[in-house]
Amino acid sequence: QVQLVESGGGSVQAGGSLRLSCAASGFTVSISCMAWFRQAPGKQREGVASIDGSANTIYADSVKGRFTISRDNAKNTLYLQLNSLKPEDTAMYYCAVRPMLNCRVSWGVVSDYPYWGQGTQVTVSS
């Protein structure tokens, strides 16, 4: 069955960096639409970035130029590199997958993703 396990979260100061990982099993990351979402306390879950089967990427405006989504096909793992972190980036970060080759349509819609990891916490202090 499909499993997603995130890791790499932590506490950093503003301006710092983290790399999140999402180890996948039960499907192949290279032919799927995968995404990172985040949810801050009291806020709705929001899309951060996605990558599709052709390695096309999409980013939320709030993270463009600071975050980078990537994958390692050999390890069947998804990554999110977080640079120049801000306190407003504090949230639980989740990886998600849907069985589609591309992410162009509704990439950031939570209900379009049937499979989710348990999340990893990122806390950024000022």
Side-chain angles (χ1 to χ4, degrees):
Q1 69 275 23
V2 173
Q3 282 194 319
L4 299 167
V5 180
E6 301 99 332
S7 61
S11 296
V12 297
Q13 290 192 327
S17 298
L18 285 171
R19 189 175 83 152
L20 308 183
S21 299
C22 174
S25 60
F27 71 99
T28 303
V29 299
S30 63
I31 56 171
S32 303
C33 167
M34 295 196 72
W36 287 96
F37 288 76
R38 66 185 181 185
Q39 187 168 18
K43 294 189 176 182
Q44 290 189 331
R45 194 168 296 191
E46 62 176 1
V48 175
S50 70
I51 185 167
D52 69 11
S54 298
N56 297 306
T57 57
I58 304 173
Y59 294 92
D61 288 344
S62 58
V63 306
K64 279 181 184 175
R66 300 189 298 121
F67 292 6
T68 303
I69 189 171
S70 64
R71 64 176 185 234
D72 185 327
N73 295 338
K75 295 182 179 180
N76 215 40
T77 299
L78 179 72
Y79 300 100
L80 186 68
Q81 178 68 40
L82 292 70
N83 296 331
S84 302
L85 281 161
K86 304 175 181 180
E88 52 263 43
D89 294 319
T90 295
M92 185 72 79
Y93 284 71
Y94 301 89
C95 66
V97 63
R98 62 186 189 186
M100 296 175 64
L101 270 179
N102 73 71
C103 296
R104 286 192 301 272
V105 177
S106 65
W107 74 271
V109 176
V110 171
S111 58
D112 281 359
Y113 291 81
Y115 303 105
W116 292 82
Q118 82 288 349
T120 186
Q121 178 68 38
V122 172
T123 303
V124 185
S125 58
S126 57

